[in-house]
Structures are given as structure tokens and as C-alpha cells.
């Protein structure tokens, strides 16, 4: 058992021995389990210790119990078998001496050399017979045949119960199954003492028989589901064990008196009746229950009973009737019995019985093939041989039989087996879908879908139509980390059909969290029956119920769970098969790929939108960095200190009146393109064009180390670019123009401004107005700076301080500084960096 939600991954054996976290009831349960293990080990060692000394000792050639009744007939080489002794012959005398107990027989056998005969007086029904049987030595092979098989089966029975208890510790079902396996195990291990060693353990054997019946009755009340009778009358198990006690105590007291036999027969009937009751309860669950898990468990157990019970049931009947197969020990009849408890244990331990139909189907197929092979062999010998092979090959026909049979097996086995398996599929396991066709159909459909909702709709539609399930749904994490649900709902009488509802889902959904943690399919039955999920059981079951689901598959994105794909129940009421689960897992994986592709496409669309919007303000290089998240852009509204560059064409009004509009637009576009490139090269953002004016901002959208310096450098580059542009315009149009630039630094408001129909990211504030005023003051080819810009540049520049000027909107005069543009022919250094001089 786990102690907290943070320990869901402990292995069963680890959880079994984690005593620090056990409750009192769990501690008692584990202590009782260890006690049963000690009793089992002690009994096994004791019986083994009693049996081994018999090897190489004289042996009468048969086995008898303390009542001097032959219990089992051994192999064909035993002298008792060869003499025709059989159950239930009773020994009356040997060599004329009355045999009152097994000790007298043992003493007589030890006095007789091996191979010497002993004359026995035997009662067989109403007859008294004389029979001579030679003594022999008991060998290791005899021990293995008489004791080894039942001992091994007994060990396997207990190991089966112990393993189930370890896998499902402390549950009522696992405890009852363990008790049944314990009694079954002890009765098999002690059987040899009952037949040969006679150390008194036979009374333990007699106790086990009725208590085994009581434990089977108890198991029938709680598995594969709790019966209404067991719920209404919880004292029935106590009554069952009480009846077992009433049967066991007098049987042990009167043994080996002949009065023991009727009570023994009642005990056997009690055990057989309890087995039939259990099988009947299983059959009722298979036909009547509403639980698909209980029905699947019942189906598996019924199949195990059909395979296991006939031979063990016939063997005791044959013994009571005195019928035996010469040379075949009746102990072999218990081997198939292992299948029945194994099927019960598997059904208890495995709540996801997706493979049960596969095992049943294979068993049917191989069973039919065994019959067909046997029929083919005997047909060759009885029909083909006399009428075909012998006339053709004469005396060599005997040598031809194996060759013909081998050829039939080589060439016919695989096609016949495939035909048999297909027949089994058709008759017992009719396929509800074409696996490959369904996968191909969904793959082709999902490839063409790039919208998440369309992918989800297609996935749910496919599962519902192809697999006939009553509900399906998807939970997806959106970009904000919230869960979005897409769930199907069955229609009502007023609104028939199936609807797909989109709804928000609790972000902290426990089922989603569990699937995300496990990263594999989680079923309703996992949550219900697996101890490691006990702390999530209630909340996860509510989530399953809210979605009408029984299975939940993870939907991955880059190895992380981004959603879950839930499936309801088959409308037929059948349990999901392994093929069903494999198909659903494949569909979930394909949907994961499609959703990841859709998200990538959506991301690319958003990036293109972002790129297109940012390209209006920033250089392509900066846009790339923004899109790749190398640079963070703040598009929200806030206040920030920036540097504003305001550039204006001198005498533009006069120019516009002198030139045709189409030429003017072309000239302006060439001018704006050249200036924008310079601004972008200096990491500025283009705020807007106002007529012929350019407004650029440095340090707004992306952080800069020295925005004032970058703005002034951009201004100088713009002034220097103008002669090249003017030369081209003079050549084409006989036209030239000059610009003046104003630069100011101050606090502005950055944000989206406008109406819902048209929004624009811009800067607003007094600092922008001052830059505009300084641009208006600047003569052609001049750059004017404010004191704020000059002070924030952090370096000495070549400037000329002009007279303070009163600008519109200011009550006081502002200091004005002009950037000195040196003569390129006289000062090459200044040509490359006009900001390297000193203030004048």
C-alpha cells in the first residue's frame, strides 16, 4: 500500500513490506499472510522429510491408507498393479496374519526380501479374494510418481494464492482466494502421508476438505462481483465455515473407524457442491451482470472451468466405481485442475482483461487442431492405409504411413490452422472493425486537417462509428494552460442523436494529472482496483463518470502529455479486446501527431502575423529575433524613457506644388525606404509617417544599451545619405531636397492607440512634441539635440550650442545643440564618426 499520492510507482512486493505506512488492520493482514506462509513451509518440509526415507526401502507394490484400503494404483511396473489390485480393495490379512493397521503390513514387508511374494486376503465389495503380490523396493522414480506430482501441484496452488495476495494485498477477494489455495495446497501436500507414511497428518487433510468448500462458497459471494445475497446477509461466510467445522470435527474424531466414511462422503459432497455453486455464480454473472468487467472475468473463469474440471471430476468417480486405466496413476487427474484456480487468480489480479479473448481463442484453435491432427492420423491408418497405401506399397506401407502424415502436416497444417482460426473468429469473436482499414482511413483524414477541433471531431467520430462505443471525448490543454473538453453526449427522446459538446474543464483534473504522470493508458478498473491509486480513486472515478468513460489514453506533444482521449463502453456490453486497445492506442498516437502538426501550423500562422505586424516598426533582423524569442517585445501600454527622432523635409509644401503626384509619391517612397533602412540598422523602430515627416523611436519596443547614441548615429547617417539620393534625383528629375532632424529624450506612453476597428502601436507624450519642434527648427542638413539627449548619450560629442529657444507648448526656453557635421574632405575620422569630438 502506498502512503501518499507521491508514491504511485511502488512495486507490489515493495508495498507489501512497507510496514511503516501500514494501518493496524493491514498489519494484522500481513502478519496473518506471513503466518500462512510459515504453516505452508513447515508442512511441506515435514511431508518431504517423511517421504524421502522411504526410498530404497521394501515396498508391498501398492499404497494403502490407515484403514487398509487401497487408495491409488500405481504405474504398470508396480507388482500390485500387475496383480490386478484396484481401489477400493481392502486388505484383511497377509500370509494368514490379520492386518489391523498399516504398521503390521510394513513389518511384514520389511521381513520379506524384495521379489518374494506375499499372499493377501482382500475384500472387494461382497467378495473375499486371495491374491499374491511380490514385494519390491521403493525407488526415486516411484517417489516422484506417487508423491512428487501432488507435492509440486500443492506448491503451485499456494504460490498462486500468495502471488495474487501480493498483487492485490489486503483485499477481501485476494484473502478468500488465498485461503482457498492454502487448503487446496495443504490437502495435496499431505496426500502422500494419507497414502503411505501414516504420520497422522491425514487429520489435517480431512480438515482441509470441508474448509476448502467453505472458502469456495465465500469466494462465490464476493467475486467476480459482490452478490446481492452476500450484501443482504453478510453472515453467510460465517455459516459456511461453521458447517465446515461441524463436518470436519467429527470426521477427525472417528477416523479411521468405518463411521468416518459417511462423514467423509458428506465433506466431498460439500466441496463439490461449493464448486458447482461458484461455477453457477460465475455463469449468472456472465449472463446477468451489468458490469462489463465482471462479465469478462466470468467468461475467463468459465473457460478455465470447462478446461479444468471434467478430468478431476471423472477421476474420483472412476475410483469409487472401481474403474482404472491400467498403468496410469490417478494423481495425473489433478494436473488440469491447475487451470481453474489459475483462471480465477488471473481474473482477480488483472482488471484489464484485454487479452482474455486472445487466450481463449488460441486455446479453441489449438484444441480443434489437436483433434484434427488426431483424426487425420487415425484416418491414414484405418482408411488410407488399407485402401490406398497397402495396394500401392505392399509390405512397405508401414514405413510410408509416417512419411504421408509428415507431408500432410508440413503442407496442410498452416492453411488448415488459419482456416480454423478464422472460423473461431467468425463464430465466437466476430470482428467489429477492419483494423488496417480503420487506421488507413483515419491517417488519410488527419493528414489533411490543420485545425485542432476538426482533428478532435474526426477522432471521436471514427471511434464511435467503427467501434460502436457509447461515448468518446478529448481533453486538451490550450495555450493558456487551461483544459478544453470535447465530449459526446447521447441524445434524448426530445433531441435524438449524438452531440459533441465543447466545454471548459477543471485545470486540476485528477484524471488528466494521473494520465500525464503515468504517460500510458489508464482505465477505470486501474483506479478502482489498483492500490497505488487509492488516494486518487474517488476524484478519478468522478472524472470517468462525468465523461462517461472507462479508458483514457494520453495525447503527447514532444513527449509530454498535452491531452487525454477518453473512451466509454461498447454498446454491445462486451469488454474491450487487445485488438480494440491496440487500435485505440494507434488512433491516439496518430491524433497526437496530427494535433502537434496543427499546433505547429497555428504557431507558424501566428508567427507570420507577428512578423507582418512587427515589420512595420522593426528591422527584419530584429523581427527574426523577436519571433525566435531571442528578444522580448513589450506591446502593452506603459510609460518609458525613450529617444525620439523626428525628421522633416524642408519646403515640402512648395515641392509638392511643383511636381506631379505620381513622381512625388515615387520620390517619397525611395526616400522613406532609404531612411527606414538606416533607422533599422541602428536598432530603432519606425513609429509612423506623418506626411513627409518620419517619426522613429529608440529604446521602445526592444531594450537598447544607449538609445540616445543610436538615435544620433542614425540621424548622422540619414543626413549623409541625402547627397546620394539627391544626385540620383537630379539625374532623373532635376530635383533635390534637404531634411532637418530633431532628437529628444524623455518619458512617453507606449501602447496601442485607436478604435477597435483600427489600432496602432505608437508613442505619445511631451517628449515627442519637443522632438517635432526641434525638427521644425533644424535647417536643411542639420541635426538638433535637446539637453536630455545630450546628457544621456554618455560620451562627449561635437556639438554647437545654439541660443536657447522658446518652442510651442513650453513656457521656458529650451537649450538647443547642433551636431557638428565636419567637412568630409578635411576630416576623414569625423566622416566615419562625427560624434567623436568635443562640445563647443
Amino acid at each position: 500500500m502506498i502512503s501518499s499520492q507521491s508514491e504511485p510507482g511502488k512495486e507490489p512486493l515493495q508495498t507489501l513490506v512497507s510496514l511503516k505506512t501500514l494501518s493496524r488492520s493491514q498489519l494484522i493482514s500481513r502478519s496473518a499472510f506471513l503466518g500462512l506462509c510459515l504453516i505452508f513451509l513447515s508442512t511441506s518440509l515435514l511431508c518431504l522429510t517423511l517421504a524421502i526415507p522411504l526410498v530404497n526401502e521394501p515396498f508391498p507394490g501398492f499404497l494403502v491408507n490407515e484403514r487398509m484400503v487401497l487408495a491409488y494404483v500405481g504405474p504398470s511396473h508396480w507388482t500390485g498393479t500387475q496383480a490386478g489390485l484396484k481401489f477400493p480393495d481392502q486388505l484383511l490379512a497377509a500370509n494368514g496374519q490379520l492386518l489391523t493397521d498399516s504398521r503390521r503390513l510394513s513389518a511384514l514387508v520389511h521381513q520379506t526380501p524384495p521379489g518374494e511374494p506375499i499372499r493377501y486376503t482382500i475384500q472387494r465389495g461382497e467378495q473375499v479374494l486371495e491374491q499374491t503380490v511380490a514385494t519390491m523396493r521403493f525407488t526415486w522414480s516411484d517417489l516422484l510418481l506417487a508423491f512428487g506430482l501432488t507435492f509440486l501441484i500443492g506448491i503451485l496452488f499456494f504460490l498462486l494464492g500468495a502471488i495474487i495476495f501480493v498483487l492485490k494485498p489486503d483485499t477481501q477477494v485476494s484473502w478468500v482466494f488465498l485461503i482457498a489455495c492454502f487448503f487446496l495446497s495443504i490437502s495435496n501436500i499431505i496426500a502422500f502421508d494419507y497414502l503411505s507414511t501414516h504420520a497422522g497428518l491425514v487429520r489435517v487433510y480431512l480438515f482441509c476438505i470441508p474448509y476448502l468448500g467453505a472458502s469456495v462458497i465465500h469466494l462465490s459471494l464476493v467475486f467476480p462481483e459482490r452478490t446481492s445475497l452476500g450484501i443482504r446477509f453478510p453472515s453467510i461466510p460465517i455459516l459456511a465455515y461453521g458447517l465446515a467445522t461441524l463436518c470436519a470435527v467429527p470426521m477427525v474424531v472417528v477416523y479411521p473407524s468405518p463411521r468416518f466414511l459417511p462423514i467423509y462422503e458428506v465433506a466431498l459432497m460439500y466441496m463439490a457442491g461449493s464448486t458447482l455453486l461458484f461455477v453457477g455464480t460465475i455463469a449468472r454473472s456472465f449472463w446477468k451482470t451489468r458490469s462489463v468487467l465482471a462479465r469478462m472475468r466470468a467468461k475467463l473463469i468459465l473457460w478455465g472451468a470447462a478446461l479444468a474440471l471434467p478430468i478431476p471430476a471423472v477421476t474420483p468417480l472412476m475410483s469409487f466405481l472401481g474403474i482404472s486405466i491400467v498403468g496410469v496413476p490417478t494423481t495425473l487427474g489433478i494436473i488440469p485442475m491447475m487451470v481453474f484456480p489459475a483462471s480465477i487468480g488471473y481474473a482477480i489480479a488483472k482488471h484489464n482483461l484485454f487479452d482474455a479473448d486472445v487466450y481463449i481463442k488460441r486455446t479453441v484453435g489449438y484444441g480443434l487442431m489437436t483433434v484434427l491432427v488426431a483424426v487425420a492420423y487415425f484416418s491414414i491408418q484405418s482408411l488410407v492405409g488399407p485402401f490406398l497405401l497397402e495396394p500401392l506399397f505392399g509390405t512397405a506401407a508401414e514405413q510410408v504411413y509416417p512419411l504421408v502424415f509428415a507431408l500432410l502436416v508440413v503442407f496442410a497444417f498452416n492453411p488448415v490452422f488459419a482456416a480454423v482460426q478464422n472460423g473461431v473468429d467468425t463464430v465466437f469473436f466476430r470482428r467489429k472493425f477492419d483494423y488496417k482499414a480503420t487506421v488507413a482511413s483515419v491517417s488519410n483524414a488527419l493528414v489533411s486537417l490543420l485545425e485542432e477541433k476538426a482533428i478532435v471531431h474526426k477522432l471521436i467520430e471514427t471511434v464511435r462509428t467503427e467501434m460502436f462505443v457509447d461515448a468518446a471525448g478529448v481533453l486538451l490543454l490550450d495555450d493558456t494552460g487551461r483544459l478544453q473538453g470535447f465530449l459526446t453526449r447521447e441524445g434524448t427522446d426530445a433531441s435524438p442523436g449524438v452531440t459533441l459538446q465543447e466545454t471548459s474543464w477543471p485545470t486540476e483534473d485528477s484524471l488528466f494529472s494521473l494520465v500525464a504522470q503515468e504517460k500510458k493508458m489508464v482505465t477505470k478498473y486501474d483506479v478502482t482496483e489498483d492500490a497505488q491509486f487509492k488516494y486518487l480513486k474517488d476524484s478519478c472515478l468522478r472524472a470517468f463518470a462525468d465523461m462517461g468513460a472507462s479508458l483514457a489514453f494520453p495525447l503527447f506533444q514532444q513527449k509530454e502529455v498535452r491531452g487525454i482521449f477518453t473512451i466509454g463502453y461498447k454498446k454491445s456490453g462486451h469488454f474491450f479486446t487487445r485488438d480494440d486497445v491496440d487500435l485505440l492506442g494507434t488512433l491516439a498516437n496518430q491524433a497526437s501527431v496530427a494535433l502537434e502538426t496543427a499546433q505547429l501550423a497555428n504557431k507558424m500562422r501566428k508567427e507570420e502575423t507577428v512578423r507582418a505586424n512587427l515589420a512595420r516598426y522593426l528591422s527584419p533582423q530584429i523581427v527574426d529575433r523577436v519571433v525566435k524569442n531571442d528578444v522580448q517585445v513589450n506591446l502593452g501600454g506603459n510609460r518609458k524613457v525613450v529617444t525620439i527622432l523626428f525628421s522633416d523635409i524642408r519646403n515640402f509644401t512648395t515641392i509638392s506644388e511643383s511636381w506631379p503626384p505620381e513622381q512625388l509619391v515615387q520620390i517619397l517612397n525611395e526616400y522613406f525606404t532609404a531612411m527606414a533602412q538606416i533607422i533599422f540598422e541602428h536598432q530603432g523602430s519606425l513609429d509612423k509617417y506623418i506626411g513627409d515627416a518620419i517619426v522613429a523611436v529608440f529604446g521602445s519596443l526592444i531594450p537598447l544599451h544607449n538609445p540616445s547614441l543610436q538615435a544620433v548615429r542614425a540621424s548622422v547617417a540619414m543626413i549623409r545619405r541625402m547627397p546620394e539620393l539627391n544626385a540620383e534625383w537630379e539625374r532623373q528629375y532635376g530635383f533635390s531636397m534637404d531634411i532637418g532632424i530633431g532628437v529628444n529624450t524623455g518619458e512617453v506612453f507606449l501602447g496601442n492607440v485607436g478604435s477597435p476597428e483600427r489600432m496602432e502601436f505608437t508613442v505619445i507624450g511631451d517628449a515627442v512634441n519637443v522632438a517635432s519642434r526641434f525638427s521644425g527648427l533644424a535647417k536643411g542638413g542639420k541635426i538638433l539635440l535637446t539637453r536630455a539627449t545630450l546628457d544621456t548619450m554618455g560620451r562627449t560629442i561635437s556639438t554647437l550650442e545654439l541660443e536657447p529657444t522658446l518652442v510651442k507648448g513650453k513656457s521656458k526656453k529650451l537649450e538647443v545643440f547642433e551636431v557638428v557635421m565636419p567637412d568630409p574632405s578635411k576630416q576623414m575620422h569625423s566622416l566615419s564618426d562625427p560624434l567623436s569630438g568635443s562640445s563647443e
Side-chain angles (χ1 to χ4, degrees), residues 330-377:
T330 55
T331 52
L332 293 177
I334 65 173
I335 294 178
M337 186 66 183
M338 276 298 302
V339 178
F340 186 42
S343 65
I344 300 173
Y346 184 83
I348 294 173
K350 295 286 288 184
H351 42 266
N352 292 329
L353 297 173
F354 306 127
D355 295 316
D357 276 341
V358 176
Y359 299 148
I360 294 174
K361 183 170 60 176
R362 288 177 180 174
T363 304
V364 173
Y366 286 121
L368 291 176
M369 282 303 300
T370 301
V371 173
L372 289 176
V373 169
V375 169
Y377 182 78

Side-chain angles (χ1 to χ4, degrees), residues 59-62 75-85 115 132-136:
F59 167 54
F62 50 83
S76 58
H77 71 277
W78 283 11
T79 55
T81 303
Q82 295 173 352
L85 299 182
T132 300
V133 180
T135 59
M136 55 186 297

Side-chain angles (χ1 to χ4, degrees), residues 137-357:
R137 288 197 180 276
F138 196 74
T139 64
W140 282 106
S141 61
D142 295 328
L143 180 66
L144 291 177
L145 286 172
F147 174 64
L149 183 61
T150 55
F151 186 79
L152 177 62
I153 293 294
I155 291 176
L156 293 179
F157 277 140
F158 185 79
L159 287 178
L160 176 63
I163 290 171
I164 300 305
F165 183 83
V166 170
L167 294 175
K168 292 287 183 72
D170 306 318
T171 65
Q172 185 180 22
V173 174
S174 63
W175 250 117
V176 177
F177 183 71
L178 173 64
I179 291 172
C181 288
F182 173 77
F183 288 128
L184 194 58
S185 168
I186 295 298
S187 64
N188 276 276
I189 289 174
I190 292 177
F192 189 68
D193 178 73
Y194 171 51
L195 302 175
S196 181
T197 55
H198 305 149
L201 295 178
V202 62
R203 288 165 176 78
V204 179
Y205 170 83
L206 297 177
F207 255 110
C208 288
I209 292 174
Y211 276 102
L212 174 60
S215 61
V216 172
I217 292 175
H218 192 178
L219 186 62
S220 68
L221 296 173
V222 297
F223 190 78
E225 60 182 347
R226 293 195 65 187
T227 62
S228 57
L229 185 65
I231 296 173
R232 290 175 58 192
F233 302 102
S235 60
I236 290 180
I238 299 175
L239 178 61
Y241 289 110
L243 290 175
T245 304
L246 291 177
C247 186
V249 172
M251 184 166 51
V252 170
V253 171
V254 301
Y255 184 82
S257 166
R259 291 176 299 169
F260 136 86
L261 191 56
I263 307 175
Y264 179 67
E265 292 175 351
V266 170
L268 290 178
M269 292 174 60
Y270 185 60
M271 184 176 67
S274 66
T275 303
L276 292 176
L277 174 64
F278 179 71
V279 174
T281 303
I282 296 298
R284 184 182 182 279
S285 295
F286 179 71
W287 293 109
K288 299 292 186 180
T289 185
R290 294 182 178 179
S291 168
V292 292
L293 177 60
R295 185 181 299 111
M296 194 63 200
R297 282 172 162 167
K299 181 179 181 180
L300 182 64
I301 295 171
L302 287 175
W303 188 252
L307 293 176
L309 295 183
I311 294 177
V314 170
T315 301
L317 181 61
M318 292 175 59
S319 297
F320 273 109
L321 296 177
I323 302 172
S324 64
I325 302 175
V326 176
V328 180
T330 55
T331 52
L332 293 177
I334 65 173
I335 294 178
M337 186 66 183
M338 276 298 302
V339 178
F340 186 42
S343 65
I344 300 173
Y346 184 83
I348 294 173
K350 295 286 288 184
H351 42 266
N352 292 329
L353 297 173
F354 306 127
D355 295 316
D357 276 341

